[in-house]
Amino acid sequence: PAALPQSMLTEAEALRVLSDQSHETRLALHNAMDADKGTQAAYPRHIKRYKLWWCLDQDRRIQADPCWVRISSEPVMQTKVAIWLQYESSRPK
């Protein structure tokens, strides 16, 4: 028979173990899906394009409104990426 643990886990500790396990599973699935799509090669290119576009966008905003406060491209945030993706999806290709 398996050895009994020295002390029982609390419910919070057990939930943490389950959370860590589910996170590891999600990361493994994510990595497996990305391996076939070339995401690892494309990601640095997308980040470079995002940063360049963001700086130019901030320049345009300041030119249109001198009171605009320049927002840095980093940290990359959901709001900023959503604005960039809207541009990317609508620009002529």
Side-chain angles (χ1 to χ4, degrees):
L4 294 175
Q6 295 289 359
S7 63
M8 298 296 291
L9 292 176
T10 65
E11 183 176 346
E13 291 168 331
L15 286 171
R16 179 63 185 179
V17 169
L18 293 174
S19 176
D20 290 348
Q21 183 180 1
S22 70
H23 184 67
E24 289 173 13
T25 301
R26 187 194 64 78
L27 287 177
L29 178 61
H30 179 75
N31 289 337
M33 290 173 63
D34 281 353
D36 296 334
K37 295 181 183 174
T39 302
Q40 291 180 353
Y43 186 76
R45 183 177 70 245
H46 292 307
I47 290 292
K48 182 178 178 181
R49 289 184 50 82
Y50 156 77
K51 287 181 178 181
L52 174 62
W53 178 84
W54 188 264
C55 288
L56 293 173
D57 178 70
Q58 292 300 297
D59 289 345
R60 284 188 287 271
R61 289 175 188 265
I62 290 171
Q63 188 174 22
D65 179 0
C67 295
W68 182 261
V69 176
R70 179 178 295 276
I71 305 293
S72 175
S73 64
E74 293 184 347
V76 176
M77 299 168 62
Q78 179 180 356
T79 302
K80 297 175 193 175
V81 171
I83 293 167
W84 177 68
L85 287 175
Q86 193 282 325
Y87 160 77
E88 279 291 298
S89 67
S90 62
R91 72 178 174 86
K93 297 192 174 60

